[in-house]
Amino acid sequence: MLDITVLCSVVDNYGDIGFVYRLCRRLSEISTELQIRLVVDNLDSFAFMNPEINSSQAEQFSSGLKILDWNNRQVCTKEFLENPPQFILQCFQCGRPEWFDEIIFSENFQGPSHILDVEYLTAEEWADSFHLMKSATRSAKVKKTIFMPGFTKKTGGLVLDENFVRCAGDAEYALERAAGKLDEDQKKILLNDDYFKILVFSYPRSFDFLVEAIDSFAGFCDKKVHVFLARGISVQPFEDACSGRNIEFEYSKLPPLEQEQWDAFICSMDFNFIRGEDSFSRASLSGIPFVWHAYVQDDEFQLVKLNAFLDRMKDFFSPELFEEYKRFCFLYNRNFHVEPGDEACQQIATLDSPLPATESEAGEEMRDLAIKLLSSSGLSRQAFRDSACHFMNNGDLAQNLLDFMKSTDL
């Protein structure tokens, strides 16, 4: 049995633990000859997407995984002293628990162990050169290698778990899976071809422009328009933007969805507004038109990450459609309350014309561009399908990780 320990510190429910849970599930799908221990510091967030998890239980099994509470020093120390770790997947620079370091860097540790530093997903070019780069630790018994998820064959690729791949390729299956635990009204809307369906899962921001755009779009769309609001921090701002308006579209709030149903839901929409590491990767592979809301960083560095991804998408679009898509993405991701740093300014300079200086000035343009993106989603869908196929062909991150572990000497 190949021993794999996965470390996860939860920052974003659908992001960190979402990716880690998906990765572990996929590793289990590929091989039955694996012993996987998942050490998580927030079991409440894990239970959000996996109802089998008991958040008060320090040691448990689910989906073929042994789940351990990062915060329970006694239980975890006993576990790893009795069964020392071989391969350690340290995800998203999460660090390691003190009790874990005390074990693997102890003079009595027999070893050897190999840490695979599984980094954040980025489309930036440096990911190609950092992938599989060796890194030092403070012990000769513990090796370390950087492993980069990514959008090229020179990286580790993206996780291609069975449920998601089937959802992306089989619309009927995706709809059936997505309907899952929805209430009866939401099921009827989801399964009705007479609806244009939009998912909003975003970081907090003003949604006045988007509500106006969807309202205008609903006025001439040949289908009814329904917006599904994913549970989280963007629900209230969206509802606030709808308040007091006589809107032409419908909207409803989604219940908590386990991961497999969430995947199917993304694949069953006509347009997605998406945030988060794991949901971003799923949207990229879904073949459904989408806009990514990147996590806001100092000096507007999220625009660097955004433009790197847009560069990966450019060749799949017509020039005119891509420029409109790119401009909207920049406006959607700008934080108008701060000044962009030098690197962000360099990305903004790649646009055909300067961006508005304030959010209020940008609102009208964002509304008009959003209307165009929704109206042309039928035309752009082929571009998103082609890019999704291209990213899938880069390979499966879980398989690439497993191949590396099997080929390397501890």
Side-chain angles (χ1 to χ4, degrees):
M1 299 287 286
L2 189 64
D3 177 78
I4 303 173
T5 297
V6 186
L7 303 178
C8 177
S9 179
V10 178
V11 177
D12 183 308
N13 286 343
Y14 275 116
D16 309 287
I17 187 58
F19 166 81
V20 170
Y21 178 41
R22 183 185 309 282
L23 176 61
C24 290
R25 286 196 298 108
R26 178 57 182 153
L27 287 168
S28 297
E29 288 173 358
I30 296 171
S31 175
T32 57
E33 298 180 352
L34 305 178
Q35 174 181 286
I36 302 177
R37 291 177 286 185
L38 175 52
V39 184
V40 186
D41 72 348
N42 188 331
L43 291 175
D44 287 329
S45 291
F46 195 1
F48 182 82
M49 63 182 60
N50 180 358
E52 293 183 3
I53 297 298
N54 182 343
S55 58
S56 63
Q57 194 167 325
E59 183 178 0
Q60 57 195 296
F61 286 89
S62 175
S63 305
L65 313 173
K66 188 169 191 177
I67 314 296
L68 296 157
D69 185 350
W70 174 306
N71 304 297
N72 194 310
R73 182 186 184 97
Q74 182 177 358
V75 168
C76 290
T77 299
K78 180 177 183 295
E79 168 70 25
F80 286 96
L81 282 175
E82 292 178 355
N83 302 285
Q86 293 179 340
F87 288 98
I88 303 157
L89 306 188
Q90 187 176 329
C91 299
F92 300 157
Q93 303 175 11
C94 68
R96 296 180 297 273
E98 288 185 10
W99 54 260
F100 195 84
D101 273 8
E102 288 171 6
I103 293 172
I104 65 173
F105 293 120
S106 165
E107 291 182 1
N108 298 323
F109 182 62
Q110 296 299 311
S113 286
H114 197 129
I115 298 172
L116 291 171
D117 186 2
V118 183
E119 283 286 349
Y120 285 100
L121 174 63
T122 181
E124 294 166 273
E125 290 185 2
W126 62 262
D128 291 0
S129 56
F130 270 65
H131 183 55
L132 300 184
M133 182 181 290
K134 305 299 180 185
S135 182
T137 74
R138 64 178 189 261
S139 171
K141 296 177 183 177
V142 182
K143 299 178 182 178
K144 189 174 183 181
T145 301
I146 297 173
F147 214 91
M148 297 295 304
F151 296 94
T152 74
K153 287 187 179 295
K154 293 181 180 180
T155 66
L158 302 172
V159 180
L160 303 179
D161 54 293
E162 290 177 358
N163 177 75
F164 182 83
V165 171
R166 184 173 178 186
C167 286
D170 186 339
E172 186 174 338
Y173 170 80
L175 281 170
E176 181 180 348
R177 190 74 180 83
K181 298 175 182 177
L182 300 183
D183 63 37
E184 289 305 314
D185 288 339
Q186 288 179 326
K187 282 183 181 179
K188 289 177 182 177
I189 293 167
L190 181 69
L191 300 174
N192 191 337
D193 287 339
D194 291 334
Y195 275 90
F196 187 97
K197 288 152 276 194
I198 301 170
L199 173 65
V200 174
F201 178 55
S202 173
Y203 294 111
R205 58 156 305 125
S206 169
F207 285 109
D208 288 341
F209 78 92
L210 186 57
V211 168
E212 290 178 11
I214 296 173
D215 195 39
S216 177
F217 173 64
F220 62 81
C221 182
D222 59 359
K223 294 184 176 184
K224 300 175 185 177
V225 177
H226 190 94
V227 177
F228 292 99
L229 301 178
R231 181 180 176 183
I233 50 182
S234 60
V235 172
Q236 192 60 55
F238 191 92
E239 290 189 307
D240 289 345
C242 293
S243 180
R245 298 178 187 269
N246 185 23
I247 54 177
E248 295 287 331
F249 65 91
E250 305 168 5
Y251 72 88
S252 62
K253 292 182 283 188
L254 289 171
L257 304 180
E258 58 189 75
Q259 190 173 70
E260 293 89 337
Q261 187 181 3
W262 176 248
D263 292 350
F265 209 88
I266 289 175
C267 293
S268 300
M269 295 294 99
D270 294 294
F271 206 102
N272 289 306
F273 290 88
I274 282 294
R275 71 166 171 92
E277 168 91 12
D278 190 54
S279 297
F280 169 44
S281 72
R282 297 308 96 187
S284 301
L285 296 169
S286 69
I288 306 297
F290 77 97
V291 169
W292 174 42
H293 199 184
Y295 186 77
V296 176
Q297 297 180 302
D298 292 340
D299 298 323
E300 294 272 78
F301 195 78
Q302 73 272 9
L303 299 181
V304 177
K305 295 186 173 297
L306 170 67
N307 200 39
F309 175 69
L310 292 172
D311 281 345
R312 303 290 183 196
M313 298 285 288
K314 182 177 181 178
D315 291 343
F316 301 100
F317 284 79
S318 67
E320 181 180 356
L321 191 58
F322 178 75
E323 286 306 318
E324 291 178 346
Y325 178 65
K326 178 177 180 177
R327 189 168 183 84
F328 178 82
C329 288
F330 265 80
L331 288 166
Y332 190 71
N333 278 276
R334 265 239 57 199
N335 178 7
F336 287 93
H337 302 293
V338 302
E339 287 294 321
D342 290 343
E343 290 178 286
C345 285
Q346 291 173 14
Q347 311 308 311
I348 294 172
T350 65
L351 295 168
D352 286 347
S353 59
L355 292 179
T358 66
E359 188 169 12
S360 59
E361 293 174 359
E364 185 175 344
E365 183 179 4
M366 294 176 74
R367 180 201 65 200
D368 292 344
L369 284 171
I371 294 171
K372 287 183 179 180
L373 291 180
L374 293 171
S375 302
S376 62
S377 60
L379 295 174
S380 66
R381 192 165 185 131
Q382 190 60 51
F384 286 98
R385 285 174 176 166
D386 291 344
S387 60
C389 183
H390 176 77
F391 297 147
M392 282 192 179
N393 287 338
N394 287 330
D396 178 10
L397 177 65
Q399 183 67 66
N400 290 334
L401 271 166
L402 192 56
D403 290 344
F404 176 84
M405 287 185 277
K406 288 182 176 180
S407 66
T408 191
D409 292 327
L410 283 172

